[in-house]
């Protein structure tokens, strides 16, 4: 099977590309590295079954040759990213999704959408199953991501009903693991970065808000299962075990041996208080459920962060002291030695040039 993966240079996208190649598929990876990292896919460039295209899917999605499936993962996904790129986030959720759907339509290909638990907003129903319509503020600071994904689901469903596109929708809950960026502002990466650099751990509110953390390998298995099916979904993909943010902070401090203190900051506007997926539908229709517990998942993630100390210093500065929900975290400086240019494949696709982000500053 030949699969086009938009956002394939990102955290989740690169793991999906790798999993597909590992099982013998061919992959066309499309990314403009607005939030991805060239290093995520550098080890795949020598694989003859891997092609890379530097592309902004909000402008167009063009893939030559056969396409059997399209996995649309392109989008900023962490609050600092979509607050820093609000219009780009809306564009990739709307125009980008439509361009990816048209690619699938032209090739009669399977299409899967990486949606998000954020479509549930700050839920009034707990835990959340796929029948819940959500509680979203359409004009709040988080709306650029929430509503972009809600529109992406709507247009995907419309393409299925109107054009018969073989659409599958995954609603992804908090996912963590190797290749997360230390400065991406998500709670797992922030806590690990702060613990390893001796910075205070930033906890918003009193820490009693909950999240459900799914290790990346488990999540990717779910995406592959959805890709291989004809199921439309939507499917919650996440770990149904719920932890408070304070519990996560304690686990990270214990695992890293850190003496970092915990500092509390105001809870951001519209930040969900509780978040846990019901995954019955995915268990029954896809035969999927998470296998890696948080202790093992955190161990692997801490080991990955510890193996990249060059990235931690600038990233710690970028996330220091907590961020107001209306002030996005600046991008951390690219570490020395990370390639800023990725050559295109032998087919003549232009090389990917990535401008180094500005130096980080505290907030």
């Amino acid at each position: 099977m030949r699969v086009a993966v938009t956002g394939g240079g990102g955290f989740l996208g690169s793991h999906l590309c790798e999993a597909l190649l590992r099982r013998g598929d061919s992959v066309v990876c499309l990314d403009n590295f607005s939030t991805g990292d060239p290093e995520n896919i550098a080890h795949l460039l020598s694989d003859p079954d891997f092609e890379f295209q530097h592309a902004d899917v909000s402008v167009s999605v063009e893939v030559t040759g056969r396409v059997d499936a399209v996995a649309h993962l392109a989008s900023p996904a962490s609050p600092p990213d979509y607050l820093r790129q609000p219009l780009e986030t809306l564009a990739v959720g709307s125009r980008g999704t439509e361009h990816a759907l048209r690619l699938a339509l032209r090739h009669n290909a399977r299409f899967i959408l990486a949606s998000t638990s954020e479509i549930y907003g700050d839920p009034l129903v707990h835990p959340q199953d796929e029948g819940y319509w959500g509680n979203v503020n359409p004009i709040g600071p988080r709306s650029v991501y929430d509503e972009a994904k809600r529109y992406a689901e709507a247009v995907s469903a419309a393409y299925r009903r109107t054009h018969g596109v073989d659409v599958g929708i995954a609603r992804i809950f908090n996912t963590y693991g190797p290749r997360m960026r230390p400065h991406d502002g998500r709670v797992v990466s922030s806590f690990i970065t702060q613990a390893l650099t001796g910075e205070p751990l930033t906890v918003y509110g009193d820490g009693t808000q909950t999240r459900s953390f799914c290790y990346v390998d488990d999540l990717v298995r779910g995406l592959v299962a959805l890709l291989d099916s004809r199921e439309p979904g939507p499917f919650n993909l996440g770990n149904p075990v719920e932890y408070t943010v304070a519990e996560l902070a304690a686990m990270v401090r214990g695992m890293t041996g850190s003496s970092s203190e915990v500092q509390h900051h105001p809870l951001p506007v519209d930040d969900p208080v509780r978040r846990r997926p019901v995954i019955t539908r995915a268990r029954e229709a896809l035969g999927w459920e998470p296998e890696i517990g948080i202790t093992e998942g955190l161990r692997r993630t801490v080991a990955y962060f510890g193996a990249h100390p060059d990235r931690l210093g600038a990233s710690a500065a970028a996330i220091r002291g907590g961020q107001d929900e209306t002030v996005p975290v600046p991008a951390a400086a690219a570490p020395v030695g990370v390639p800023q240019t990725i050559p295109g494949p032998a087919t003549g696709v232009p090389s990917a040039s990535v401008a180094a982000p500005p130096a980080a500053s505290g907030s």
Side-chain angles (χ1 to χ4, degrees):
M1 184 161 63
R2 188 166 185 250
V3 185
V5 180
T6 73
F11 162 51
L12 285 181
S14 63
H15 281 281
L16 178 60
C17 289
E18 196 171 58
L20 293 171
L21 290 169
R22 192 182 303 122
R23 71 175 196 167
D25 291 334
S26 297
V27 173
V28 181
C29 169
L30 301 98
D31 209 308
N32 68 350
F33 296 116
S34 64
T35 59
D37 189 335
E39 194 173 67
N40 289 342
I41 58 171
H43 64 295
L44 303 178
L45 294 173
S46 60
D47 191 321
D49 290 323
F50 181 79
E51 303 172 37
F52 173 75
Q53 291 187 26
H54 186 268
D56 181 349
V57 300
S58 300
V59 176
S60 67
V61 179
E62 303 294 336
V63 176
T64 59
R66 188 185 86 252
V67 176
D68 301 303
V70 178
H72 182 43
L73 278 68
S75 177
S78 69
D81 284 333
Y82 55 70
L83 288 171
R84 182 165 47 89
Q85 302 181 74
L87 298 180
E88 294 87 346
T89 301
L90 288 163
V92 75
S94 55
R95 294 192 297 271
T97 302
E98 292 188 56
H99 292 150
L101 282 161
R102 289 170 190 161
L103 176 67
L105 177 62
R106 290 195 298 272
H107 291 269
N108 193 29
R110 171 70 164 162
F111 175 89
I112 65 168
L113 170 68
S115 186
T116 173
S117 60
E118 297 295 337
I119 66 99
Y120 298 124
D122 186 6
L124 303 178
V125 172
H126 188 81
Q128 297 80 53
D129 65 23
E130 294 89 346
Y132 178 52
W133 291 358
N135 177 44
V136 174
N137 177 358
I139 60 171
R142 300 171 70 100
S143 66
V144 295
Y145 183 64
D146 301 358
E147 297 292 10
K149 289 297 189 179
R150 288 166 70 92
Y151 176 83
E153 288 198 16
V155 73
S156 297
Y159 264 73
R160 182 176 67 243
R161 289 191 294 264
T162 305
H163 297 299
V165 175
D166 184 14
V167 164
I169 297 172
R171 292 176 178 167
I172 297 172
F173 283 66
N174 292 60
T175 304
Y176 70 100
R179 297 185 199 148
M180 294 185 83
R181 292 168 301 143
H183 63 281
D184 69 6
R186 303 185 206 200
V187 65
V188 172
S189 53
S190 292
F191 282 177
I192 293 175
T193 297
Q194 290 166 333
L196 290 177
T197 57
E199 293 279 339
L201 272 61
T202 301
V203 172
Y204 297 101
D206 61 7
T208 59
Q209 66 270 35
T210 68
R211 295 294 184 268
S212 302
F213 302 102
C214 187
Y215 188 67
V216 63
D217 289 2
D218 282 334
L219 191 283
V220 168
R221 282 193 303 103
L223 291 177
V224 172
L226 179 60
L227 188 73
D228 288 345
S229 76
R230 299 296 300 273
E231 296 286 345
F235 291 100
N236 287 339
L237 296 182
N239 195 315
V241 181
E242 189 177 5
Y243 294 94
T244 68
V245 170
E247 287 172 333
L248 178 69
M251 284 187 280
V252 170
R253 291 177 75 227
M255 190 165 293
T256 58
S258 173
S259 58
S260 295
E261 64 175 331
V262 173
Q263 288 186 350
H264 292 267
H265 295 265
L267 196 66
V269 173
D270 300 329
D271 191 57
V273 175
R274 298 192 73 184
R275 184 66 62 74
R276 175 162 65 91
V278 175
I279 63 169
T280 304
R281 185 180 292 184
R283 281 193 180 110
E284 294 177 350
L286 303 178
W288 176 86
E289 64 181 337
E291 297 175 352
I292 299 171
I294 195 166
T295 300
E296 176 61 18
L298 282 178
R299 185 192 66 77
R300 298 181 189 182
T301 308
V302 167
Y304 172 82
F305 275 57
H308 295 79
D310 53 329
R311 296 181 168 218
L312 296 179
S315 296
I319 60 177
R320 180 178 298 137
Q323 292 81 38
D324 183 272
E325 67 275 3
T326 61
V327 182
V329 181
V336 176
V338 175
Q340 295 299 306
T341 301
I342 289 185
T347 54
V349 176
S351 63
S353 297
V354 185
S361 61
S363 60

